[in-house]
Amino acid sequence: MIARTTTTAIVLAAATAVTLTGCAAPASTTEGLSIVASTNVYGDIAATIAGDLATVTSIIDSAAQDPHSYEASAQHQLAIATADLVIENGSGYDPFIDVLVEGSGTSAVVVSAASVAGLEDEHADDEAHSDDEAHADDDGHGHLEGVNEHVWYDLHVMGDVATAIATELAEIDAANAATYEENLTAWLAELEALEGELESVASALGGGVVATTEPVPAYLLAELGLDDETPAEFVEAIEEGADVPPLALQQTLDLIASGEIRLLAYNEQTASPETERVRAAAEAAGIPVVSFTETLPDAQDYVSWMRANIEAVAQALTPA
């Protein structure tokens, strides 16, 4: 595990390096506001609301990248140092944002999706990042015990996050507040239509039990009326990049073999020998496997991505 102080040291060292490394270079400087998002999920929403009034930099900007293996970048610290608005997931998912914010001395406003969702209020004591409650893997990625921080798979929360982004942009740039409000209204209308589609699909599917290799799409699966019964010890080990306890792996394989599972939700960005074994068992049992990612796929926006996820589940569970 990399401690918070170690990550900070890496960031500060990178800031003075001649050769800069990182996940993605920030966008070139242009007139208007500057927004930095931890992933392209939030970057896409911010860009939609801000339009051509801001430059948006997404630190993790491709589905080909593993958010768990982010390396500190002087380029990104510089982007944050000059940003007007920073957007993070929070709740331990992207702690590198907090380190970069603290190391840069920026005065940017920070919007935390997990805070908007109420997760950080519910676990205020945990947010002290105490050693017994907060965990970070060797790449600085962490999560709080008992918290599913993958809130971008909750459409309702993302509507609230978009509203928070628009509110902050209007505060920062009052002259263009009407534009931000107009863009937000249009985006929320798209999201509302998608929520209607989700409800229709959930009604048609009629519920059932699913398994997951990691709780990334859990909020969406729950909205679709599907119950995830994967052993907690299995998904927690995968999420933390730790060794899966043999008993937890066997319990997961037994669940797959039980005949109760309608679908296996598979996180493509955190594959391991254990998840591959579970996937192989599902395929051998004739259980459909639906892949999910933690970041926005190329050539998609947030709404089209979530629609594709919903349609993939519907197709997998609808008889031919």
Side-chain angles (χ1 to χ4, degrees):
M1 295 183 180
I2 291 182
R4 186 180 183 84
T5 53
T6 304
T7 307
T8 304
I10 293 174
V11 172
L12 295 179
T16 59
V18 175
T19 302
L20 304 178
T21 60
C23 296
S28 57
T29 302
T30 62
E31 294 184 0
L33 300 181
S34 176
I35 302 171
V36 177
S38 63
T39 74
N40 60 2
V41 177
Y42 298 111
D44 172 75
I45 296 173
T48 300
I49 295 171
D52 58 6
L53 296 174
T55 297
V56 179
T57 299
S58 296
I59 292 179
I60 307 296
D61 69 345
S62 170
Q65 296 170 324
D66 181 358
H68 304 174
S69 59
Y70 168 75
E71 295 181 6
S73 163
Q75 294 159 299
H76 293 142
Q77 181 151 14
L78 178 60
I80 283 182
T82 58
D84 298 290
L85 178 67
V86 174
I87 308 166
E88 66 173 357
N89 185 81
S91 200
Y93 179 77
D94 42 13
F96 57 83
I97 287 290
D98 296 329
V99 174
L100 289 170
V101 166
E102 292 172 10
S104 70
T106 183
S107 59
V109 175
V110 178
V111 171
S112 165
S115 180
V116 170
L119 295 185
E120 294 179 345
D121 292 336
E122 295 172 7
H123 297 267
D125 292 337
D126 294 342
E127 280 300 288
H129 299 285
S130 60
D131 291 338
D132 60 334
E133 293 292 335
H135 300 272
D137 63 23
D138 289 341
D139 300 307
H141 178 78
H143 86 110
L144 298 178
E145 288 184 354
V147 175
N148 181 3
E149 67 271 26
H150 308 98
V151 294
W152 62 93
Y153 269 96
D154 187 324
L155 303 186
H156 311 297
V157 167
M158 295 308 281
D160 293 338
V161 170
T163 300
I165 292 171
T167 298
E168 295 299 346
L169 289 176
E171 287 286 335
I172 296 168
D173 180 22
N176 290 301
T179 298
Y180 301 132
E181 180 64 26
E182 180 180 344
N183 292 343
L184 171 66
T185 299
W187 190 83
L188 289 178
E190 291 185 37
L191 190 68
E192 184 178 359
L194 181 59
E195 290 173 346
E197 295 172 25
L198 184 151
E199 291 176 2
S200 295
V201 171
S203 178
L205 293 180
V209 177
V210 299
T212 62
T213 58
E214 199 176 352
V216 171
Y219 291 114
L220 186 66
L221 294 174
E223 285 292 324
L224 287 168
L226 302 169
D227 298 320
D228 180 10
E229 294 191 0
T230 313
E233 293 82 0
F234 178 86
V235 293
E236 184 171 318
I238 296 300
E239 187 173 18
E240 293 182 1
D243 292 334
V244 177
L247 178 58
L249 176 58
Q250 187 57 54
Q251 289 173 334
T252 303
L253 293 172
D254 290 343
L255 179 64
I256 296 294
S258 69
E260 299 177 4
I261 301 301
R262 295 190 66 188
L263 173 149
L264 173 66
Y266 192 86
N267 183 358
E268 293 283 356
Q269 287 170 275
T270 56
S272 70
E274 293 87 356
T275 64
E276 286 295 309
R277 186 174 173 185
V278 169
R279 178 174 189 153
E283 291 173 343
I287 297 171
V289 177
V290 177
S291 296
F292 294 88
T293 60
E294 299 188 42
T295 50
L296 195 66
D298 295 338
Q300 291 194 36
D301 58 31
Y302 177 77
V303 172
S304 67
W305 176 38
M306 287 297 123
R307 177 174 285 111
N309 285 323
I310 293 168
E311 291 175 349
V313 172
Q315 183 177 3
L317 298 183
T318 301

